[in-house]
């Protein structure tokens, strides 16, 4: 009698995504992809907007800059606010508010009103990332986390292709409003699905015991390094220098990336005479 063959490891391994994991990751990817669509569409539409509205580069650049100023300032506060608000509310309301901002852009009566609307959009979208991270930590299982991170990383190319594709589609006719209406629809649907399908996380089992264990755990009062307990720590200056250098590098990278994606279509049209739709698609 021949022994049974061992089961193939790929078929024996359970799926990394459970049904609950799949639902949460889908909602997060849909929502954050829509958020990218609702923030990159302004830069993608600068070329048709400049022709239709007759605004100068400085005026359009100030509108785009309002988003990034609000987003950068809001990121500092959103990390603190994420501790106090459940992602059910912070993520969903930010999506809904961003949808209203995108819906209001085509009807803005002038540059000042458009700056205010786009500033509000940046402030609302600054709440999304920390809420997304908290939702993943609460609702995605440890086994599914690596694949969930890969899925979330795909939101930038998805949103970029949607934003620049919508802007390119309306460029031949000089219509720029479609990219904002599309973003408003995508964000609105994402918010509705979030409120319908996302659920409050259940309180973790054994939470009182975990808190009691944390209270009873002795706190280290001195740095225990290679020289042994009681030795002096490395100090804060090297850490501050490293963090400051990394922050400057990230900021410079962000400015270059956003500046290139915003103004590349106009440069391609003015310098090489390419049609607006081709310039947007090449960007």
């Amino acid at each position: 009698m021949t022994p049974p063959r061992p089961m193939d490891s790929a078929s024996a391994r359970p799926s990394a995504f459970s049904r609950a994991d799949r639902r949460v990751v889908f909602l997060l990817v849909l929502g954050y992809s829509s958020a990218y669509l609702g923030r990159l569409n302004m830069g993608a539409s600068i070329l048709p907007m400049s022709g239709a509205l007759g605004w100068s580069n400085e005026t359009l650049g100030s509108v785009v800059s309002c988003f990034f100023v609000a987003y950068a300032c809001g990121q500092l506060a959103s990390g603190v606010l994420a501790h106090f608000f459940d992602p059910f509310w912070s993520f969903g309301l930010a999506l809904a508010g961003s949808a209203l901002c995108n819906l209001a852009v085509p009807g803005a009566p002038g540059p000042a009103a458009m700056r205010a609307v786009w500033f509000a959009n940046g402030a609302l979208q600054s709440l999304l990332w920390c809420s997304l991270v908290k939702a993943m930590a609460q609702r995605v299982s440890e086994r599914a986390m690596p694949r969930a991170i890969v899925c979330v990383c795909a939101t930038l190319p998805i949103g970029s292709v949607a934003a620049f594709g919508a802007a390119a589609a309306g460029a031949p006719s000089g219509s720029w409003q479609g990219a904002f209406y599309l973003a408003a629809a995508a964000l609105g649907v994402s918010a509705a699905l979030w409120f319908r399908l996302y659920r409050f996380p259940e309180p973790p089992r054994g939470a009182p015991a975990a808190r009691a264990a944390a209270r009873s755990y002795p706190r280290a009062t001195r740095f225990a390094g290679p020289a042994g307990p009681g030795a002096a720590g490395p100090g804060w200056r090297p850490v501050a220098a490293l963090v400051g250098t990394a922050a400057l590098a990230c900021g410079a990278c962000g400015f270059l990336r956003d500046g290139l994606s915003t103004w590349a279509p106009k440069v391609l049209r003015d310098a090489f005479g390419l049609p607006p739709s081709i310039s947007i698609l090449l960007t």
Side-chain angles (χ1 to χ4, degrees):
M1 181 178 180
T2 59
R5 291 189 304 170
M7 186 178 296
D8 182 64
S9 59
S11 60
R13 188 188 310 131
S15 175
F17 278 142
S18 66
R19 185 175 181 180
D21 292 331
R22 193 175 293 112
R23 181 179 69 240
V24 173
V25 172
F26 167 76
L27 292 173
L28 292 173
V29 170
L30 177 64
Y32 214 66
S33 298
S34 302
Y36 272 119
L37 168 59
R39 77 175 68 163
L40 298 176
N41 52 356
M42 179 66 75
S45 301
I46 274 187
L47 200 55
M49 287 175 70
S50 63
L53 301 176
W55 294 355
S56 65
N57 293 341
E58 291 78 10
T59 301
L60 290 169
S62 67
V63 174
V64 177
S65 299
C66 283
F67 178 94
F68 296 110
V69 171
Y71 189 85
C73 296
Q75 282 280 287
L76 300 175
S78 64
V80 178
L81 294 175
H83 290 284
F84 302 99
F85 296 97
D86 192 275
F88 178 83
W89 295 112
S90 57
F91 196 81
L93 291 177
L95 289 175
S98 183
L100 294 177
C101 290
N102 275 271
L103 190 62
V105 166
M114 192 173 291
R115 291 190 195 100
V117 170
W118 212 236
F119 184 91
N121 188 36
L124 288 165
Q125 290 213 12
S126 69
L127 303 173
L128 289 173
W129 178 251
C130 291
S131 301
L132 180 148
V133 172
K134 186 175 182 180
M136 288 182 65
Q138 288 180 339
R139 302 300 303 275
V140 178
S141 64
E142 183 178 357
R143 181 182 61 188
M145 189 62 71
R147 290 183 62 185
I149 293 172
V150 172
C151 292
V152 170
C153 290
T155 55
L156 174 57
I158 293 173
S160 300
V161 169
F164 284 89
S173 61
S175 175
W176 55 271
Q177 296 90 340
F180 295 95
Y181 290 138
L182 177 63
L187 287 162
V189 170
S190 299
L193 290 176
W194 178 264
F195 286 124
R196 177 66 181 86
L197 300 177
Y198 188 83
R199 297 289 183 269
F200 282 103
E202 298 179 358
R205 297 179 180 178
R211 287 196 296 266
R215 285 196 300 267
S216 63
Y217 191 80
R219 293 185 178 181
T221 56
R222 301 296 300 275
F223 175 75
W236 58 271
R237 288 184 178 84
V239 177
L242 180 62
V243 172
T245 304
L248 288 175
C250 292
C253 178
F255 277 118
L256 289 172
R257 181 196 64 194
D258 296 329
L260 286 173
S261 63
T262 299
W263 296 109
K266 191 169 181 59
V267 171
L268 289 173
R269 188 198 65 176
D270 296 343
F272 300 99
L274 296 176
S277 57
I278 301 300
S279 300
I280 295 172
L281 288 176
L282 286 177
T283 302

